[in-house]
Amino acid sequence: MDAAESTANSGTPSAPAPAGEPAEGLSSREEAVLAFERQWWKYAGAKEQAIRELFEMSPTRYYQVLNQLIDKQEAMRADPMLVKRLRKLRASRQRTRAARRLGIEL
């Protein structure tokens, strides 16, 4: 449900879910991934090791899950600043890879 539908149904727009509260429409794993991305730097050691320990998946699989997650409207409603930052970072990396393939230096 988007903000317009929410307004039509309840009379008020839906507010983003505060950090730490479950977001409507996201699984517990998706919520955990967003929480981890919000504060992964707090974990001692490498991010990849923390991913393996917390999510019991390879870093490659984690980033696949993360990329699918940040494309979801529910994630945007849950934490808009984080999702926008992650989308911007992903776009920047995609541009850098494409330029490198074409032999362009950015």
Side-chain angles (χ1 to χ4, degrees):
M1 171 172 22
D2 65 11
E5 290 172 327
S6 176
T7 302
N9 292 339
S10 66
T12 59
S14 61
E21 289 188 23
E24 188 177 311
L26 294 178
S27 70
S28 59
R29 180 175 80 164
E30 290 171 332
E31 291 172 20
V33 167
L34 287 177
F36 178 74
E37 283 299 316
R38 246 187 313 277
Q39 56 187 334
W40 70 265
W41 49 269
K42 291 182 180 179
Y43 294 94
K47 184 177 182 180
E48 287 76 19
Q49 186 61 34
I51 289 168
R52 284 188 184 91
E53 291 172 5
L54 292 172
F55 298 104
E56 298 178 350
M57 66 175 80
S58 72
T60 301
R61 180 64 186 138
Y62 171 83
Y63 287 112
Q64 290 170 341
V65 168
L66 178 62
N67 278 312
Q68 290 173 351
L69 176 59
I70 65 175
D71 287 332
K72 289 186 171 185
Q73 266 315 110
E74 293 87 352
M76 180 62 89
R77 280 194 292 270
D79 195 336
M81 287 179 56
L82 174 66
V83 172
K84 287 177 187 178
R85 180 176 60 82
L86 294 172
R87 286 178 179 178
K88 186 176 180 179
L89 184 60
R90 176 178 64 183
S92 172
R93 289 180 177 158
Q94 287 172 339
R95 278 191 304 274
T96 302
R97 276 194 305 274
R100 194 177 322 129
R101 269 186 248 123
L102 295 172
I104 302 169
E105 191 171 326
L106 295 178

